[in-house]
Amino acid sequence: MIDDGHRHEPLSEPEWPVHESATEYETGWYTGGYDLVEQPNGSTKRYYWAELATAVVVVAVEDDSLVFVEQYRPTIRETQLELPAGIVERGESYTAAATRELREETGFAADTTALLQELWCSTGVLRHRRGFVFATDLTPVERDLDENEFLSVRSVPVEEAIDVARGQPTNDATLEGVLLAREEGLL
């Protein structure tokens, strides 16, 4: 686990012996490396991983609409409608991080938040935890975007949220957040 000021979830004790764990690169955003693992048949294999800070995704409802942000994602070279999201800072709960990120990105303060789900993402290659938070009772406040955030706030009627979340381009966090909230009967 790296100490970069972000909270990272500790890993469980391995069920298969780990003979070596190596970090091959570190950036301000993620760390990458491999574990040399002994498999059940006695052979060994390098399992490569990238570790990212714990993140939160916010499903926020205001006046029968879902709050989305529209932003360009240079990694995939596309503009997307997404749920607000961000890093969980050290010592923050998912709900506190959701309240902060929602305020910063959208200009809404949430009076009510609830954790819907937390999970590991893309476990074949990532060491990354994500929490999904439902937020309501929103009040307009001043936005406080980070210097690298260039996004617009968009309101989508709840009855259109599934179609928007499934529309291309989309991403896992947005689709998962909308589907979780719907499954919980919140949308």
Side-chain angles (χ1 to χ4, degrees):
M1 183 161 60
I2 61 176
D3 185 11
D4 61 0
H6 295 134
R7 185 181 95 192
H8 297 272
E9 301 298 324
L11 298 174
S12 301
E13 286 298 315
E15 291 181 33
W16 297 354
V18 175
H19 295 288
E20 177 185 10
S21 188
T23 297
E24 293 187 324
Y25 52 90
E26 293 185 62
T27 73
W29 187 244
Y30 66 93
T31 300
Y34 68 87
D35 290 339
L36 181 61
V37 175
E38 184 179 320
Q39 300 176 115
N41 67 0
S43 66
T44 58
K45 179 180 178 177
R46 285 185 179 182
Y47 284 86
Y48 287 87
W49 47 263
E51 182 177 89
L52 289 88
T54 301
V56 66
V57 179
V58 188
V59 183
V61 176
E62 170 67 9
D63 294 331
D64 295 322
S65 291
L66 230 57
V67 178
F68 280 81
V69 293
E70 182 178 61
Q71 62 183 321
Y72 177 70
R73 292 296 190 177
T75 52
I76 61 166
R77 300 178 182 168
E78 304 232 24
T79 298
Q80 295 189 302
L81 271 181
E82 306 174 347
L83 294 175
I87 299 299
V88 177
E89 300 294 340
R90 187 175 299 286
E92 267 187 322
S93 66
Y94 284 115
T95 53
T99 300
R100 178 183 48 74
E101 285 292 340
L102 185 66
R103 174 185 288 270
E104 290 173 2
E105 291 187 1
T106 70
F108 283 110
D111 286 337
T112 306
T113 57
L115 180 63
L116 296 174
Q117 179 81 44
E118 65 178 299
L119 51 88
W120 285 103
C121 300
S122 303
T123 55
V125 69
L126 292 182
R127 291 180 176 173
H128 177 54
R129 293 286 289 177
R130 185 181 293 156
F132 294 87
V133 172
F134 188 71
T136 58
D137 303 319
L138 306 184
T139 305
V141 294
E142 198 66 30
R143 285 194 329 168
D144 185 21
L145 296 173
D146 292 338
E147 66 182 26
N148 67 332
E149 289 180 316
F150 305 95
L151 47 87
S152 302
V153 180
R154 300 284 185 253
S155 184
V156 174
V158 168
E159 63 270 7
E160 297 173 22
I162 297 289
D163 290 338
V164 168
R166 294 187 72 180
Q168 294 299 321
T170 191
N171 64 59
D172 58 336
T174 296
L175 186 55
E176 290 165 349
V178 171
L179 292 176
L180 280 167
R182 183 183 72 173
E183 178 68 21
E184 293 292 322
L186 300 168
L187 299 180

